[in-house]
């Protein structure tokens, strides 16, 4: 049965798809029905993938998809499918991999042409309507692809078959081999060699936060005492937090900077970037006590709670780069505007520390940054600056706000919940822990038959979830357990693991797919090994398994986590840079850490552990009775005296009965290496 000859996006939940509901293009959402229509008509599929905060997606939409001439061609020649990459990262990953295999640089909007069987045969990213920027015009592209389909269909089908085999081999490799060789130190040396020695981050432009790279460097510092790796992470964070990529007025990090100095942001703000920023700054503060990290955590959490929290407590996905048709307009200031809000004297005081930059080729108003004064001043001075910035923020509220993509993505929310819970512990902020718990309940209440959705918006849910959703929420549960000592979070994590095993585990029992076994519209099941700006689904699963095993005292679960990590590690050997998350997770699996604490008053050891978070470690508060975690560790805890027991793998240090000794132990990376 053919679908109606009209745009079918009007009933979708995704704000990105709804942005295109009035296009003259006969868009279909990705569905079995749309794929069946292409087969019935024997027409190629034109697949367009983007997301709500994507600037160039908006540009192509205005130039092409809102244009009647372009729409007429698309409607007559293709079955046109729109995909929100955040709702369907499985679809995006398949076709982005295909584009890369064609030798093209990936990005969004992703524009792919598929056979009626949904196999890719040609593609690109952004196309203007008419040829410019050195790019072919979209009208010419549509005509050329149609002509090729009419005259060379057999050749295109063969090419699509070959390309699909490549994609499947790349994204869904067979099981069979395992590895326990974690190249942590070697990869850290290679990464550090390509980092900018003055400003951190990868050399050149654009500059992205690249959290998986920073995670690996930080872990190598913890595991192997590589001070240069620690310093590289700290340099990168400090440079980002001083640059224009950070919103000094309202808090929060933009997705990337278009230059090599962290100065000119691409202004969209993503939940996942800021969740990972909070997490990394928590590690950095725990290791350095540099107040810069505390201040930026506080500002970023405030921004999340103020601007990104939806009704019910979940966190929205992103804020757009554009407002009133201009990129960054909401965030930019002229000196005259600042003087108008603050007065000349107060403006001079603010701009003695902050600067307004007009870099070459930047056409907007100046960008506020703090690169000349990146260090935090004394408390009184910083509070005064914050007062001035708050006045700017209040004035900024009168501007037209960027659009907010208010769908709640479960895996991104898991990252945010865990990060906020850890920061809440670290800085004794119970209101943050409660905000994390509220978001957790929001996700919990969205389940049906015990299964998670991937996306939530209002009353609409997108089922089934991805394996990354379960992994991220298991880790969120463990983080909240650490913050509250409430065993119900561990119980919920076990229930989610049961669903993960039931719907995502492969036949060999040594790995997981990204999509559920009952996902009806997926062209191929992929493993989810590849990192995005966040660690891959596989990396998150291994981490969740290892941490849940530690907190629950299940040696059987730990052994399963090791099997999964070793299989994933073998798959990652040929493309380690794209799978750094797996390398980190495998290192955690080889030598997991847990800290058993007997601190009845909660005033001696628990505050120390809270203040020094460690990606390798879970903390367990022992009760009056022996529990499974201590039995698994082989520790006999003397409950008559307060103390702490740090265990790495199956080896535990002697009991620690002094808070200063515990702090020194937790801050010393060599301590774990000495217990190998």
């Amino acid at each position: 049965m053919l679908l109606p000859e009209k745009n079918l996006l009007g009933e979708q939940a995704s704000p990105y798809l709804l942005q295109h509901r009035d296009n003259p293009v006969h868009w279909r959402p990705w569905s079995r029905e749309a794929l069946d229509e292409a087969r019935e008509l024997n027409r190629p599929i034109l697949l367009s993938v983007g997301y709500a905060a994507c600037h160039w997606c908006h540009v192509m939409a205005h130039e092409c998809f809102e244009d009647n001439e372009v729409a007429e061609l698309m409607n007559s020649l293709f079955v046109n499918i729109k995909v929100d990459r955040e709702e369907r990262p499985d679809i995006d990953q398949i076709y982005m991999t295909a584009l890369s295999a064609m030798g093209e640089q990936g990005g969004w909007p992703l524009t792919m042409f598929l056979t009626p069987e949904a196999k890719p045969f040609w593609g690109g990213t952004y196309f203007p309507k008419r040829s410019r920027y050195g790019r072919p015009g979209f009208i010419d592209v549509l005509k050329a692809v149609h002509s090729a389909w009419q005259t060379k269909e057999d050749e295109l089908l063969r090419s699509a078959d070959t390309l699909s085999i490549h994609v499947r081999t790349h994204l869904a490799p067979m099981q069979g081999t395992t590895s326990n060789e974690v190249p942590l130190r070697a990869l850290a040396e290679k990464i550090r060699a390509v980092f900018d020695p003055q400003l951190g981050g990868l050399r050149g432009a654009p500059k992205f936060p690249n959290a998986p790279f920073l995670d690996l460097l930080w872990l190598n510092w913890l595991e192997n005492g590589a001070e240069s790796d620690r310093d590289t992470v700290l340099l990168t964070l400090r440079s980002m937090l001083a640059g224009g990529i950070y919103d000094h007025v309202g808090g929060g990090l933009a997705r990337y900077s278009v230059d090599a100095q962290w100065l000119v942001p691409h202004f969209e703000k993503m939940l996942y970037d800021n969740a990972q920023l909070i997490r990394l700054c928590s590690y950095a503060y725990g290791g350095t006590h540099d107040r810069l990290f505390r201040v930026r955590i506080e500002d970023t959490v405030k921004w999340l709670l103020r601007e990104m929290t939806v009704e019910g407590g979940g966190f929205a996905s992103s804020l757009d780069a554009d407002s009133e048709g201009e990129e960054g307009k909401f965030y930019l200031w002229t000196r005259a505007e600042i003087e108008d809000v603050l007065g000349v004297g107060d403006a001079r005081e603010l701009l003695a520390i902050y600067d307004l930059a007009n870099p070459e080729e930047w056409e907007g108003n100046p960008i506020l940054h703090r690169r000349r004064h990146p260090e935090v001043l004394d408390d009184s001075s910083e509070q005064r600056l914050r007062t001035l910035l708050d006045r700017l923020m209040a004035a900024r509220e009168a501007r037209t706000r960027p659009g907010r993509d208010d769908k709640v993505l479960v895996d991104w929310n898991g990252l945010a919940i865990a990060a906020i819970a850890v920061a809440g512990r670290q800085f004794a902020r119970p209101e943050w822990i409660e905000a994390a718990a509220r978001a957790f309940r929001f996700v919990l209440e969205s389940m049906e038959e015990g299964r998670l959705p991937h996306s939530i918006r209002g009353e609409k849910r997108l089922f089934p979830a991805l394996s990354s959703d379960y992994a991220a929420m298991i880790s969120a549960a463990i983080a909240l357990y650490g913050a509250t000592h409430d065993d119900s979070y561990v119980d919920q994590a076990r229930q989610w693991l049961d669903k993960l095993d039931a719907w995502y585990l492969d036949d060999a029992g040594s790995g997981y797919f990204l999509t559920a076994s009952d996902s009806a519209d997926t062209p191929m099941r992929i493993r989810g090994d590849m990192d995005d700006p966040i660690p891959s689904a596989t990396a998150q699963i291994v981490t969740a398994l290892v941490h849940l095993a530690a907190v629950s005292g299940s040696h059987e679960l730990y052994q399963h986590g090791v099997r999964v990590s070793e299989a994933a590690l073998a798959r990652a050997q040929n493309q380690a840079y794209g799978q750094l998350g797996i390398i980190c997770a495998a290192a955690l699996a080889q030598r997991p850490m847990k800290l058993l604490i007997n601190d009845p008053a909660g005033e001696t050891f628990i505050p120390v552990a809270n203040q020094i978070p460690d990606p390798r470690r879970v903390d367990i508060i022992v009760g009056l009775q022996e529990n499974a975690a201590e039995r698994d560790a082989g520790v006999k805890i003397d409950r008559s005296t307060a103390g702490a027991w740090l265990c790495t793998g199956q080896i535990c240090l002697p009991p620690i009965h002094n808070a200063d000794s515990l702090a020194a132990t937790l801050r010393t990376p060599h301590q774990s290496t000495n217990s190998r």
Side-chain angles (χ1 to χ4, degrees):
M1 178 183 295
L2 299 181
L3 296 172
E5 293 185 358
K6 63 179 183 179
N7 188 313
L8 301 180
L9 300 182
E11 298 301 316
Q12 295 298 300
S14 159
Y16 174 67
L17 298 185
L18 292 173
Q19 287 174 359
H20 295 269
R21 62 185 165 188
D22 295 323
N23 293 168
V25 177
H26 294 166
W27 290 119
R28 284 83 173 87
W30 184 277
S31 64
R32 175 53 55 193
E33 291 76 15
L35 301 178
D36 290 344
E37 181 183 30
R39 282 192 288 270
E40 189 165 341
L41 292 173
N42 194 34
R43 277 190 194 174
I45 295 167
L46 195 166
L47 174 66
S48 177
V49 183
Y51 57 101
C54 168
H55 173 71
W56 286 102
C57 298
H58 301 330
V59 174
M60 188 169 177
H62 177 67
E63 293 177 349
C64 297
F65 305 143
E66 296 171 10
D67 184 272
N68 287 320
E69 182 183 5
V70 174
E72 185 177 352
L73 272 176
M74 292 173 65
N75 295 338
S76 62
L77 303 179
F78 303 96
V79 171
N80 303 292
I81 299 180
K82 253 290 174 204
V83 166
D84 180 342
R85 71 171 295 261
E86 296 169 357
E87 275 197 337
R88 295 303 302 264
D90 52 335
I91 303 299
D92 176 66
Q93 195 172 140
I94 289 168
Y95 296 110
M96 190 64 75
T97 301
L99 182 68
S100 298
M102 297 173 189
E104 298 288 333
Q105 182 172 352
W108 297 277
L110 173 62
T111 307
M112 293 296 293
F113 294 91
L114 321 178
T115 71
E117 299 296 326
K119 297 179 179 179
F121 63 85
W122 192 79
T125 52
Y126 160 78
F127 294 101
K129 179 181 177 181
R130 305 288 183 189
S131 179
R132 60 193 176 104
Y133 307 128
R135 302 187 67 80
F138 198 46
I139 284 180
D140 294 335
V141 167
L142 295 173
K143 291 178 178 177
V145 171
H146 172 67
S147 176
W149 184 256
Q150 294 297 308
T151 60
K152 302 177 181 178
E153 180 179 341
D154 290 344
E155 182 179 334
L156 292 179
L157 290 173
R158 287 194 296 272
S159 174
D161 285 341
T162 301
L163 188 56
S164 294
I165 291 170
H166 170 85
V167 171
R168 186 179 297 276
T169 301
H170 188 72
L171 295 180
M174 299 296 291
Q175 290 294 104
T177 59
T178 61
S179 173
N180 59 9
E181 293 297 321
V182 182
L184 184 65
R185 194 193 304 264
L187 278 174
E189 290 175 357
K190 291 178 180 179
I191 290 169
R192 191 172 65 252
V194 296
F195 261 52
D196 183 331
Q198 275 76 48
L199 292 170
L202 293 173
R203 290 194 180 103
K207 263 186 158 57
F208 288 82
N210 280 318
F213 283 65
L214 299 177
D215 286 338
L216 188 135
L217 292 175
W218 192 259
L219 184 58
N220 194 49
W221 146 243
L222 294 174
E223 284 287 288
N224 298 312
E227 293 185 3
S228 54
D229 290 341
R230 174 202 60 192
D231 294 345
T232 298
V233 174
L234 296 174
L235 171 67
T236 301
L237 289 173
R238 287 171 174 142
S239 298
M240 287 194 297
L241 296 173
I245 189 175
Y246 187 79
D247 178 4
H248 295 275
V249 173
L253 194 71
R255 182 165 166 255
Y256 64 91
S257 66
V258 301
D259 63 328
Q261 286 76 45
W262 301 111
L263 182 58
V264 182
H266 185 46
F267 287 88
E268 65 199 36
K269 289 182 180 179
M270 313 302 294
L271 178 62
Y272 59 75
D273 282 325
N274 287 283
Q276 294 181 113
L277 176 70
I278 292 167
R279 174 173 54 77
L280 284 163
C281 284
S282 288
Y283 298 154
Y285 181 80
T288 65
H289 274 192
D290 184 337
R291 287 171 45 254
L292 169 69
F293 301 118
R294 178 172 189 156
V295 170
R296 295 295 179 260
I297 289 170
E298 289 174 343
D299 288 347
T300 303
V301 173
K302 286 179 184 177
W303 166 73
L304 283 173
L305 300 184
R306 183 181 67 247
E307 298 187 27
M308 298 298 283
T309 304
V310 306
E311 184 178 356
F315 296 109
S317 297
S318 64
L319 294 181
D320 207 327
D322 300 1
S323 57
E324 299 183 75
E326 294 183 28
E327 184 180 1
K329 185 174 182 179
F330 179 76
Y331 299 100
L332 300 172
W333 298 89
T334 64
R335 187 182 187 102
E337 288 173 328
I338 293 176
E339 290 178 346
D340 185 55
V341 174
L342 301 182
V344 173
D346 285 352
R348 186 182 304 115
E349 181 182 355
L350 179 75
L351 295 176
I353 302 299
Y354 290 89
D355 289 292
L356 292 169
N358 278 298
E360 286 186 29
E361 301 183 5
W362 175 245
E363 298 177 355
N365 283 337
I367 300 160
L368 191 70
H369 68 94
R370 193 171 164 164
R371 291 184 58 214
R372 283 191 306 116
H373 297 281
E375 69 285 350
V376 174
L377 306 179
D378 62 88
D379 285 346
S380 176
S381 298
E382 286 295 336
Q383 288 170 7
R384 171 62 179 161
L385 290 170
R386 185 65 256 171
T387 299
L388 298 176
L389 293 170
D390 284 345
R391 288 164 60 188
L392 292 183
M393 184 163 61
R396 195 171 79 173
E397 287 301 304
R399 299 175 177 178
T400 300
R401 295 189 60 81
R404 184 177 79 164
D405 185 336
D406 60 356
K407 68 177 181 291
V408 174
L409 295 172
V410 170
D411 49 359
W412 295 6
N413 268 255
L415 295 176
I417 291 165
I420 294 170
V422 168
R425 286 179 63 188
Q426 189 172 33
F427 300 118
R429 300 292 292 269
E431 71 276 20
W432 293 1
I433 296 170
E434 175 51 34
R438 190 163 57 247
F440 186 90
R441 290 193 297 271
F442 179 94
V443 172
L444 197 64
E445 291 165 2
S446 73
M447 296 193 302
E448 293 181 7
E449 298 180 356
R451 296 181 70 179
L452 288 168
H454 173 61
S455 177
I456 309 158
R457 186 168 186 259
E459 297 301 315
K460 295 185 177 180
R461 312 281 191 269
L462 181 64
F463 288 96
L466 303 171
S467 58
S468 57
D469 297 311
Y470 285 95
M473 288 305 297
I474 290 170
S475 291
I478 294 168
L480 279 167
Y481 165 76
T484 65
H485 316 144
D486 183 344
D487 290 333
S488 68
Y489 287 112
V490 179
D491 294 338
Q492 182 58 62
R494 288 195 189 97
Q495 293 175 42
W496 280 330
L497 178 58
D498 290 341
K499 296 298 182 186
L500 190 63
D501 287 344
W503 297 101
Y504 302 87
L505 190 62
D506 63 21
D507 291 340
S510 58
Y512 294 83
F513 289 103
L514 180 62
T515 52
S517 57
D518 61 345
S519 296
D521 61 0
T522 308
M524 64 179 71
R525 292 188 78 192
I526 63 178
R527 289 199 174 274
D529 287 348
M530 304 300 295
D531 295 330
D532 251 347
I534 62 178
S536 68
T538 300
Q540 293 187 62
I541 289 168
V542 171
T543 301
L545 292 173
V546 171
H547 285 169
L548 181 56
V551 82
S552 63
S554 172
H555 189 67
E556 180 182 3
L557 178 54
Y558 171 64
Q559 290 297 325
H560 175 59
V562 169
R563 287 194 300 273
V564 173
S565 74
E566 290 180 348
L569 191 59
R571 299 194 301 269
Q573 295 300 320
N574 295 326
Q575 43 192 333
Y577 282 113
Q579 299 183 23
L580 295 179
I582 288 176
I583 306 302
C584 289
L588 298 184
Q590 282 198 348
R591 296 186 347 94
M593 292 178 64
K594 58 186 167 188
L595 181 67
L596 301 165
I597 301 174
N598 181 39
D599 188 7
E603 297 175 352
T604 305
F605 298 106
I606 291 175
V608 171
N610 288 347
Q611 290 164 20
I612 311 172
D614 187 319
R616 304 169 297 174
R617 200 184 81 233
V618 296
D619 298 344
I620 302 158
I621 309 303
V622 302
L624 296 177
Q625 303 298 322
E626 184 183 50
N627 61 35
E630 59 190 278
R631 284 196 300 272
D632 183 58
V635 172
K636 186 63 177 175
I637 291 180
D638 179 3
R639 284 171 166 76
S640 66
T641 182
W645 291 257
L646 181 64
C647 302
T648 302
Q650 300 304 310
I651 301 173
C652 296
L653 298 179
I656 300 169
H657 295 297
N658 177 277
D660 290 339
S661 296
L662 178 61
T665 300
L666 296 182
R667 285 201 175 98
T668 303
H670 302 82
Q671 185 64 62
S672 60
T673 24
N674 289 342
S675 62
R676 286 181 188 273

